Amino acid sequence: MSGIFGATAVIGHRGAGRGVVDGALENTPASFELAARTGADWIEIDVRRTADDRLVLFHNAALDDGRAIVDLTEEQCRAAGLAGLEEGLAAIPTELGLDVDVKTVMEDGVDAPARRTLSLVLPFLRREAERRRMFVCSFDPGLLLGVREGAPGVATAWMPYVRNPADTAVPGAVGMGCPIVAVDARALGLSGEKPRPGRRELEYTVETAHRAGLEMISWCPDPVDAARFARAGMDAVVVDDVPGAVAALREATESTG
């Protein structure tokens, strides 16, 4: 099937991977640059809103000291080492694809529409879609529906929560009109695990997603499982070990070629 990925793509998780990788902290320009140098085809970023309606790059809802990002100003976030969205985008080469994981907050349900995460992120999505390949993923189905309406040129990926089975992920993506479904690697089964009753074979799952008109990606397999997923026809993998995944996929391609 045709889509935005082509052969199995390597997406750098939060840049070069979770935490600190070779001195580069996740969700920072240094991490994005490292991921690009080590072979990533795409970069995944996490976007959150601040108390003063700015957007910063951070995965968790709160800093390690317990302060919620949505309660902090952009200046306070920067003082804590967080990068702004604009700064992060400028560090990602436009030839790389962009996976934008948008993290909504409880306050999005009650704040004025103009202050909600969706409203703040839409202008960036429209602009970036004119410059590069990209898609938006989220655990929040409402956010994905809002992107589909407010930035119709941007692809969306339904990302059910950790370990949610593909049984609901695939029809859920179809029902929301998302062209991509993103499933946690642990929900698909990791190498060495015993079969789980009711869980479909990996190849069947990927093939069913394709028959449904979807591209399927998975987060976060290790290199061994990334190669196994690629052999099953997975369209992309979001990984914490970019060079390891690149090497494993290259070996998998050569072994089946």
Side-chain angles (χ1 to χ4, degrees):
M1 61 177 289
S2 61
I4 65 174
F5 295 115
T8 305
V10 172
I11 304 175
H13 189 215
R14 310 180 195 175
R18 281 178 284 197
V20 178
V21 178
D22 291 342
L25 178 65
E26 66 177 54
N27 273 312
T28 62
S31 187
F32 304 151
E33 292 162 2
L34 176 59
R37 289 200 308 272
T38 52
D41 304 302
W42 292 64
I43 302 292
E44 186 252 7
I45 63 175
D46 296 301
V47 179
R48 289 188 174 276
R49 74 170 170 111
T50 65
D52 51 350
D53 302 337
R54 304 290 290 176
L55 295 170
V56 295
L57 304 181
F58 200 65
H59 178 270
N60 295 339
L63 300 176
D64 290 344
D65 62 15
R67 290 181 295 165
I69 302 302
V70 73
D71 293 336
L72 302 176
T73 65
E74 180 184 30
E75 182 178 355
Q76 289 173 309
C77 288
R78 286 186 174 278
L82 277 59
L85 176 57
E86 281 279 21
E87 177 188 3
L89 293 175
I92 301 174
T94 54
E95 61 266 24
L96 296 186
L98 178 64
D99 169 2
V100 184
D101 184 348
V102 181
K103 306 292 191 183
T104 53
V105 292
M106 188 184 304
E107 291 79 4
D108 285 327
V110 293
D111 285 344
R115 297 197 60 207
R116 297 174 188 173
T117 305
L118 172 64
S119 298
L120 298 175
V121 79
L122 278 175
F124 292 95
L125 300 181
R126 297 188 194 107
R127 185 192 72 187
E128 290 302 310
E130 296 178 353
R131 306 197 312 150
R132 66 172 91 229
R133 298 164 295 156
M134 69 173 298
F135 69 94
V136 171
C137 64
S138 183
F139 295 121
D140 182 348
L143 183 284
L144 296 173
L145 293 174
V147 169
R148 183 181 177 188
E149 180 179 347
V154 176
T156 53
W158 168 225
M159 184 169 63
Y161 203 60
V162 178
R163 295 185 188 274
N164 276 35
D167 304 57
T168 54
V170 169
V174 171
M176 286 188 290
C178 298
I180 305 166
V181 61
V183 181
D184 182 86
R186 289 166 290 182
L188 296 170
L190 304 178
S191 295
E193 284 186 342
K194 294 181 179 179
R196 181 174 298 176
R199 176 186 282 163
R200 300 290 197 171
E201 294 291 330
L202 175 64
E203 291 77 9
Y204 178 87
T205 298
V206 175
E207 192 270 337
T208 301
H210 287 171
R211 283 195 291 122
L214 303 172
E215 291 187 274
M216 175 171 270
I217 69 177
S218 183
W219 50 281
C220 294
D222 65 14
V224 171
D225 281 316
R228 185 168 63 90
F229 290 177
R231 287 192 293 269
M234 190 81 67
D235 298 287
V237 286
V238 184
V239 300
D240 289 310
D241 179 357
V242 171
V246 169
L249 264 62
R250 183 185 302 117
E251 183 177 344
T253 300
E254 292 171 353
S255 67
T256 57

